Amino acid sequence: MSASITERLRAGTVLGAEGYVFELERRGYIKAGPFVPEVVLDYPDAVRELHREFLRAGAEVMVALTYYAHREKLRDVGREGDLEAMNRRAVRIAREVAREGGALVAGNVCNTWAYDPEDPTTRETVRAMYAEQLGWAAEEGVDFVISETNDYLGEALIALEVIQELGLPAMVTLAPTQPHLTRDGYEYADACRILAAEGALVVGLNCDRGPRTMVPLIAKIRDTVECAVAVQPVPYRTDAIAPTMETLLSPKGERAFPIALDPFTCTRFDMARFALRARELGVDYIGICCGAGPHHVRAMAEALGREVPASRYSPSIELHPMFRADVSAKDAAFLPSWNA
Ligand SMILES: [Zn+2]
């Protein structure tokens, strides 16, 4: 049996990997816009393969692809009838691949877009959505649950309650879209402190910000809470002017989010540096979100000192015909044009 999330956190850094929706969209299996994971039912092999790629790259957690697989979102694409099948199948696929490499399986819920702090009736709508999704996840067998991209502390607390009612460990992370505050007006660090006090095993931030603009916020959270902290930035070069991926603009001033972000993508080296920085800060669960590719995850794993299955094919650039010490006379003739 593989170690539990609690045991792994106690033993050291846990490496996570997400970004399934963006990656499967790029591969032609998810529609940008609604971003509903229909792929789980329509092309399960595509989901299985991406899990496997992240597993080989060193991810210790297979996150079931149930992001946006909730009633509200499925209604948008006319697939409400597939809700249960989609949720159950996603967990089964994640579990199947997790077993291949001793990884854990996380159930997954996210912001619902149904929550309104001004309207108390929405609390019950949200609770019912989480209860059905996570009820199925628990029945299919998850090791813990990740509640993520929470805009509101209020909505995150509902998720936490539902996770606890199911007797599962909870990792709850906020989406830092605003400079300092959740949509319901809590400083991120304060919101994390409250989530920890309510019993979350892991608290932190995920999505929206790239490493550069995520790190200062997570440092503050690390200083504020005693429990384990998670950080899963997007691999995009956000900065002081455009602190989130939603605010990044092309040179022509067009919004790059969500499907023209490519020129802002972090290299594997950027993400490796980020992983080291996060560990230095004392972050316990280090991962990556929308935009991630397996090459990022492997670089992060290796930066943390791990050799993973995909390390077998890690770069040996010195063996490239043009970069090796003994470039042949014939190939050396190319060098001037390579260096121009
Ligand atoms: Zn994300």
Side-chain angles (χ1 to χ4, degrees), residues 20-30 39 46 50 65:
Y20 286 92
V21 171
F22 267 33
E23 182 59 25
L24 288 165
E25 189 279 330
R26 282 194 289 235
R27 294 183 186 190
Y29 295 108
I30 284 182
V39 59
L50 184 54
L65 183 50

Side-chain angles (χ1 to χ4, degrees), residues 317-328:
I317 301 297
E318 72 283 2
L319 296 182
H320 188 286
M322 295 297 280
F323 298 137
R324 56 195 306 156
D326 55 336
V327 178
S328 75

Side-chain angles (χ1 to χ4, degrees), residues 16 42 50 130 149 151 156 173 204-205 227 251 278 286 303 328:
D42 300 346
L50 184 54
Y130 288 153
T149 55
D151 296 309
T173 52
L205 302 173
C227 71
I286 300 174
S328 75

Side-chain angles (χ1 to χ4, degrees), residues 14 20 23 31 36 77 106 130 144 171 210 212 214-216 288 310-311 318-319:
V14 175
Y20 286 92
E23 182 59 25
K31 187 183 277 295
V36 175
V77 293
Y130 288 153
F144 70 107
M171 169 165 144
R212 194 186 297 174
M214 181 85 99
V215 162
I288 184 168
S311 295
E318 72 283 2
L319 296 182

